[in-house]
Amino acid sequence: MDASVKRESLEAMRVFDLASTPLRELNSALHAIAPGTNDTNFEVVNPRGSHAVAVGIDQPVTVNVRGSVGYYCAGMNDGGTVTVHGSAGPGVAENMMSGTVVIEGDASQYAGATGRGGLLVIKGNAASRCGISMKGIDIVVHGSIGHMSAFMGQSGHLVVLGDAGDALGDSLYEAKLFVRGSVKSLGADCIEKEMRPEHLKKLAELLDRAGVKNVRPEEFKRYGSARKLYNFNIDNADAY
Amino acid sequence: MTYHNPFTPPRKSATFDDFTLAEIRRAAATGIYDIRGAGTKRKVPHFDDLLFLGASISRYPLEGYREKCDTSVVLGTRYAKKPIHLKIPITIAGMSFGALSGPAKEALGRGATISGTSTTTGDGGMTDEERGHSETLVYQYLPSRYGMNPKDLRRADAIEVVVGQGAKPGGGGMLLGQKISDRVANMRNLPKGIDQRSACRHPDWTGPDDLEIKIMELREITDWEKPIYVKVGGARPYYDTALAVKAGADVVVLDGMQGGTAATQDVFIENVGMPTLACIRPAVQALQDLGMHRKVQLIVSGGIRSGADTAKALALGADAVAIGTAALVAIGDNDPKWEDEYRKLGTTAGAYDDWHEGKDPAGITTQDPELMQRVDPVAAGRRLANYLKVMTLEAQTIARACGKNHLHNLEPEDLCALTMEAAAMAQVPLAGTSWYPGKGGF
Ligand SMILES: Cc1cc2nc3c(=O)[nH]c(=O)nc-3n(C[C@H](O)[C@H](O)[C@H](O)COP(=O)(O)O)c2cc1C
């Protein structure tokens, strides 16, 4: 890179060192951005497992977090691009509305919980309850996911390149689940479903957006709701 | 000698009374438990079992209509940059759009706004009408997270993290398919016509340590402006209050077992949770033990009907009360003018509680476009404001008689109890004695 260009991009980038700067300053700076400004490049160093890093973003900013974060990183993100160059604690990108969140390492439980839009990419593994109560978010996990993932998932897509733990998709509504490896067990009302051309197409698009190479959509199986628990029926009570 | 057996009237069992027998037959016929709205219908110790002492030689009263008796309350003074200022200590409890019709929600907002108090969203999110018609609106953060989004968080005046409800501590909810209109389905990201479960636990936190981080996240998202309430059902009020305070709540909302619900199993409503009366003193004790009484505000709900109930809750240490059922009645719920239609539904005005079925003749607990036309939001809002005014005047009348120039100056010493149970629960002396159960000196 040309030296002058490099200096320019460094100047445009705002660095927050959480070892010396309170978290409040970072989040309020993120919230203070007016629509249409250029000053949208943020770098967070020494996150040291802080909670609620880069939450409530509502502008198309770019945030690079150099290290691992605690709970609820990028919570309720609406339009930002947040990359964690480390691992993330529980509830990363919870209730995301739009934008992109990428975790280079692993994610703890409840990743993408209740997310309503946007894309969450986890390059490592995700723990239990990944995509719990998801409401439109797309989640791509390069590794494996833990038990009770996509519990009560309402809509959106969960793509897993590795394996899924116990009770995948328990009490699922209309979220669509794609798993390439093994599924330890399916939860109540979750079944394997036919992979139709439209699913392969969507899967290819999601893999592409998540930076996945050399993996074909045909390698996945699709899981979804049997829709038997949609309206209460006493004869299904044993399913609970 | 002929023996003549004198007539003895048929005797019904107290244990197997008519209602119990009918319930057994209903269960046998249908194979499904009863789901209904409203709160417990059994009699439990309540505010009716307490009386105010009034002023006498040792205390002097304030002049009615002349000397001021302040009713204002500020909520969220602990951390929030923008605490809520209310003119009266009676708020409107969270009731969901979905359970209630749009016009009913609008009426609640209008009535609360005229009265200078707040109203609260519910399971199902915030509607523009509700935001528009409520000067002060509390936005509920529920386990289901239906409709949850950061824009609504920011346009709310306070945030209420709902852990539980008095009608069903430990239970989730269910909005049955017949009440899911296109709009309700859309707000909840679910297909139309299917039953919508509301989870009983939050999806992304468990326990008080997580809750502390969750509250911190919500504060960060909203730049520490909004008061954050934590609502719990009346189960273990001492510990729940202490843990909510520890987790960083600005306000604790405590809902006793009489609290209403939109739809829950009857067995749950009638058998789980503690009466409102029994919840207040332990919660206040927790606040006092932590040095937080009046710093973290306490809102009490569950069966509040009048200014007397309000005054009693405040005398026991609450900062404010919330009403659900009473507000619905004020805007027209269970009105005898629809008696013919209640009869057709196999019930009678005053007993109608099948709110989950969406056939409410009063147009309140329904999504049926024709039925909901029956609620005129302006007139109904006016009725709610009238009712809140009466409640406030009643509470002031009592407070003045006790010599108090602010409702918050009411204290347990102003009360006595009519029953041993109420004396024990409220920790105020049994009338005519200086003793209550649990107090030494027997
Ligand atoms: C129709 C209806 C719907 C309700 N919906 C909710 C809700 O969405 N969230 C919640 O926390 N409580 C809900 N509640 C409970 C109220 O917020 C409140 O705790 C209760 O009604 C207070 O008791 P009261 O009805 O005796 O005044 C609902 C109550 C009713 C009657």
Side-chain angles (χ1 to χ4, degrees):
Chain A
M1 200 190 296
D2 175 318
S4 65
V5 173
K6 198 172 175 194
R7 194 168 336 109
E8 197 171 280
S9 66
L10 269 178
E11 272 164 12
M13 189 172 73
R14 296 173 66 182
V15 181
F16 286 80
D17 182 350
L18 291 187
S20 53
T21 312
L23 174 74
R24 188 77 284 273
E25 282 186 25
L26 167 67
N27 285 329
S28 55
L30 287 166
H31 301 166
I33 290 176
T37 33
N38 295 326
D39 193 15
T40 57
N41 211 345
F42 287 71
E43 178 101 356
V44 179
V45 296
N46 292 315
R48 301 184 303 169
S50 298
H51 306 310
V53 171
V55 295
I57 291 174
D58 63 351
Q59 296 298 329
V61 296
T62 304
V63 182
N64 279 287
V65 183
R66 307 282 167 192
S68 294
V69 289
Y71 281 58
Y72 310 129
C73 178
M76 300 214 186
N77 179 36
D78 197 357
T81 301
V82 179
T83 306
V84 176
H85 302 270
S87 291
V92 64
E94 66 89 14
N95 215 91
M96 172 151 56
M97 304 299 294
S98 67
T100 306
V101 175
V102 179
I103 310 302
E104 295 289 345
D106 299 318
S108 182
Q109 47 187 348
Y110 335 124
T114 75
R116 298 183 58 186
L119 175 69
L120 169 63
V121 180
I122 296 160
K123 299 268 178 86
N125 300 310
S128 61
R129 296 183 167 80
C130 179
I132 183 170
S133 197
M134 55 197 280
K135 296 169 167 56
I137 190 176
D138 293 325
I139 305 176
V140 180
V141 182
H142 289 219
S144 297
I145 58 171
H147 63 264
M148 291 300 273
S149 287
F151 175 61
M152 288 178 84
Q154 295 176 209
S155 65
H157 303 87
L158 172 62
V159 180
V160 183
L161 275 68
D163 305 327
D166 265 323
L168 176 72
D170 194 284
S171 306
L172 198 66
Y173 291 103
E174 293 298 300
K176 295 185 174 61
L177 318 180
F178 301 95
V179 183
R180 183 156 156 260
S182 66
V183 173
K184 194 152 179 220
S185 66
L186 292 172
D189 214 30
C190 182
I191 53 170
E192 188 182 333
K193 291 190 157 179
E194 181 198 356
M195 184 79 88
R196 293 196 298 268
E198 69 263 30
H199 304 123
L200 290 171
K201 191 167 160 233
K202 181 76 196 172
L203 195 45
E205 177 216 312
L206 287 169
L207 291 170
D208 182 51
R209 281 172 58 206
V212 176
K213 304 261 183 303
N214 305 323
V215 172
R216 291 179 305 117
E218 291 77 11
E219 295 168 32
F220 290 77
K221 282 181 176 158
R222 179 169 83 97
Y223 304 88
S225 177
R227 304 190 179 109
K228 288 210 175 101
L229 302 181
Y230 270 17
N231 291 95
F232 185 79
N233 176 345
I234 189 63
D235 296 324
N236 288 335
D238 297 347
Y240 301 105
Chain B
M1 215 178 105
T2 56
Y3 176 78
H4 181 66
N5 211 357
F7 173 75
T8 54
R11 183 176 180 189
K12 286 190 176 175
S13 166
T15 306
F16 290 89
D17 62 10
D18 282 347
F19 185 79
T20 308
L21 295 173
E23 201 28 51
I24 293 172
R25 283 185 209 105
R26 197 201 54 75
T30 63
I32 167 169
Y33 45 39
D34 187 26
I35 292 183
R36 67 173 178 85
T40 184
K41 295 193 169 184
R42 67 156 78 203
K43 194 167 168 50
V44 294
H46 198 38
F47 295 115
D48 293 334
D49 303 315
L50 300 181
L51 297 175
F52 280 99
L53 298 174
S56 50
I57 297 182
S58 61
R59 299 169 171 230
Y60 59 92
L62 299 185
E63 199 63 62
Y65 306 108
R66 291 289 177 275
E67 288 178 292
K68 194 167 165 54
C69 177
D70 197 346
T71 60
S72 64
V73 59
V74 186
L75 301 168
T77 48
R78 186 184 184 192
Y79 289 123
K81 276 192 227 158
K82 295 185 178 167
I84 284 182
H85 294 258
L86 302 181
K87 287 197 188 126
I88 59 171
I90 307 161
T91 66
I92 306 303
M95 293 183 272
S96 60
F97 171 73
L100 299 188
S101 64
K105 284 298 275 180
E106 181 181 332
L108 294 176
R110 286 175 178 274
T113 300
I114 298 171
S115 311
T117 191
S118 60
T119 183
T120 315
T121 67
D123 215 347
M126 187 188 289
T127 64
D128 286 339
E129 296 97 307
E130 184 174 30
R131 178 60 277 190
H133 292 292
S134 310
E135 190 180 308
T136 307
L137 182 60
V138 183
Y139 185 31
Q140 286 199 326
Y141 190 75
L142 291 121
S144 69
R145 306 278 166 87
Y146 288 137
M148 176 48 55
N149 72 84
K151 286 197 176 69
D152 286 343
L153 268 183
R154 291 193 184 101
R155 64 178 183 151
D157 298 293
I159 299 162
E160 181 168 301
V161 179
V162 179
V163 178
Q165 252 179 269
K168 45 177 177 182
M174 182 78 105
L175 192 60
L176 293 188
Q178 51 268 48
K179 278 180 84 170
I180 315 293
S181 64
D182 285 327
R183 186 173 179 204
V184 173
N186 195 27
M187 278 177 71
R188 298 180 182 220
N189 309 85
L190 277 170
K192 194 180 167 185
I194 72 173
D195 297 345
Q196 300 189 349
R197 291 184 298 268
S198 296
C200 67
R201 290 198 307 267
H202 281 263
D204 58 356
W205 65 269
T206 39
D209 298 335
D210 284 8
L211 175 58
E212 187 171 350
I213 305 171
K214 176 49 77 179
I215 288 178
M216 196 272 270
E217 182 208 7
L218 294 172
R219 290 199 194 278
E220 282 293 324
I221 290 173
T222 53
D223 293 313
W224 292 74
E225 284 182 355
K226 328 266 177 204
I228 298 198
Y229 303 8
V230 173
K231 176 175 180 174
V232 293
R236 294 175 186 79
Y238 182 89
Y239 293 107
D240 286 341
T241 303
L243 291 170
V245 170
K246 185 238 161 213
D250 290 304
V251 175
V252 175
V253 182
L254 179 57
D255 190 30
M257 83 172 282
Q258 293 100 314
T261 171
T264 300
Q265 301 92 328
D266 176 77
V267 70
F268 210 143
I269 300 174
E270 296 291 352
N271 295 284
V272 184
M274 289 217 295
T276 305
L277 187 65
C279 292
I280 305 176
R281 289 309 288 273
V284 172
Q285 189 65 50
L287 293 170
Q288 287 169 343
D289 289 352
L290 295 165
M292 285 294 184
H293 191 217
R294 306 288 185 215
K295 292 182 187 146
V296 169
Q297 287 78 34
L298 177 67
I299 302 180
V300 166
S301 59
I304 304 279
R305 305 150 297 176
S306 64
D309 290 350
T310 306
K312 289 169 187 176
L314 265 49
L316 294 177
D319 295 274
V321 298
I323 57 169
T325 307
L328 299 187
V329 173
I331 65 170
D333 172 64
N334 265 291
D335 194 318
K337 77 176 175 195
W338 308 111
E339 182 61 16
D340 288 348
E341 296 186 42
Y342 288 123
R343 286 284 162 87
K344 282 189 210 137
L345 296 170
T347 182
T348 183
Y352 177 65
D353 59 14
D354 284 328
W355 297 349
H356 55 293
E357 291 180 353
K359 298 178 189 156
D360 184 358
I364 293 171
T365 56
T366 183
Q367 297 301 323
D368 180 308
E370 272 172 38
L371 288 175
M372 70 171 93
Q373 292 299 319
R374 294 178 177 182
V375 179
D376 171 351
V378 176
R382 190 68 250 175
R383 280 202 303 274
L384 175 60
N386 287 343
Y387 169 62
L388 288 169
K389 186 177 281 174
V390 170
M391 284 182 84
T392 307
L393 286 171
E394 286 174 345
Q396 284 174 304
T397 301
I398 288 171
R400 283 199 189 93
C402 296
K404 310 297 198 252
N405 65 2
H406 195 298
L407 291 182
H408 286 163
N409 294 344
L410 287 163
E411 53 195 334
E413 288 72 18
D414 292 316
L415 294 165
C416 69
L418 283 172
T419 65
M420 292 280 261
E421 290 84 351
M425 291 177 188
Q427 295 168 34
V428 301
L430 188 64
T433 78
S434 56
W435 175 83
Y436 57 83
K439 189 183 179 196
F442 213 161

